[in-house]
Amino acid sequence: MPLVEFDLRGLSPGQAPDRGAVAPAAEADALLVRGPVPALAGVLAALWKAGRTAEVPVSWEPAGDGDSGALARALGIGTGAARELGLVRDDHGGVLLHHGRVEAAGDERRRPLARRLGAQAHHDAVKVADGQITRIDVRPDWRAVDTLDVTVLTLPLRPGRRTSGRAVQIACDPARITRDGVPHPRPVTRWTWYADDRVRWRLQP
């Protein structure tokens, strides 16, 4: 199958593409994705599950929202330079491109900064959380290779602890996970994000 185009500009904020809608990525020779960050993440997840990330060049025309603009700048969209990039995955089958968050599940009536949860977290060999926290923010570092930036916010409105490494493992009270603006459908008590050094994907800006 030659070039396959996905026009996913109609996705609502917080919405991921349906798996069936991105399934043709598995058979493509090249891909063009139009839409926000979750659109690109969904297509890359389908490509990874097919074992073809290293074979199929992917072009992306970002949407006009702030997250898409920030990721486009980080990836060098529009520069014309093809790149081979790592892929940040999680242990629930997803892909992370821009921003992941772990925060307390439950009472939505409380202000986000007032919600807290008990958590233990390790970033590679470093223990970054052990007790009550407000949230954990995770961002792929596209300037480096197979690297995640992790910020643990212990107290509201206080600077968080920032670390850099390949994988973050979290065990916690029931938590709400957000991947690139898309909430995971159910609370979790364990979660791992990791830069998979066995996987590369081909960006064609």
Side-chain angles (χ1 to χ4, degrees):
M1 187 182 297
L3 174 69
V4 174
E5 301 184 29
F6 294 98
D7 189 347
L8 298 168
R9 290 173 290 186
L11 288 175
S12 302
Q15 180 186 8
D18 182 78
R19 289 183 181 180
V22 297
E27 305 297 329
D29 294 326
L31 294 168
L32 171 60
V33 183
R34 298 183 179 94
V37 177
L40 180 60
V43 170
L44 286 174
L47 202 58
W48 170 76
K49 288 171 184 174
R52 303 194 66 225
T53 54
E55 304 169 23
V56 181
V58 179
S59 299
W60 180 43
E61 293 182 8
D65 61 286
D67 284 352
S68 294
L71 179 60
R73 289 189 294 273
L75 294 178
I77 298 297
T79 64
R83 298 177 65 188
E84 186 178 81
L85 298 166
L87 195 64
V88 175
R89 299 172 47 213
D90 61 58
D91 54 351
H92 288 66
V95 166
L96 184 69
L97 295 176
H98 181 58
H99 179 214
R101 176 166 287 178
V102 181
E103 57 193 342
D107 191 354
E108 298 297 325
R109 296 169 298 178
R110 301 185 68 186
R111 292 180 295 110
L113 289 179
R115 303 177 201 144
R116 292 170 64 75
L117 74 160
Q120 287 190 341
H122 286 81
H123 195 187
D124 293 348
V126 179
K127 182 180 285 187
V128 294
D130 188 10
Q132 292 292 309
I133 64 168
T134 300
R135 67 172 187 257
I136 299 175
D137 290 310
V138 179
R139 295 181 182 274
D141 183 354
W142 295 108
R143 301 165 299 177
V145 177
D146 298 331
T147 302
L148 291 174
D149 285 336
V150 172
T151 302
V152 178
L153 188 66
T154 305
L155 296 172
L157 305 178
R158 297 284 183 88
R161 179 186 182 185
R162 183 175 175 179
T163 53
S164 182
R166 194 182 74 83
V168 58
Q169 298 176 300
I170 303 159
C172 58
D173 295 336
R176 180 177 186 261
I177 305 293
T178 307
R179 289 183 292 211
D180 291 325
V182 179
H184 190 65
R186 65 190 68 84
V188 303
T189 56
R190 292 186 179 274
W191 193 270
T192 299
W193 271 300
Y194 59 102
D196 192 339
D197 58 3
R198 303 165 299 176
V199 177
R200 293 291 181 264
W201 64 283
R202 298 169 57 192
L203 173 67
Q204 184 65 53

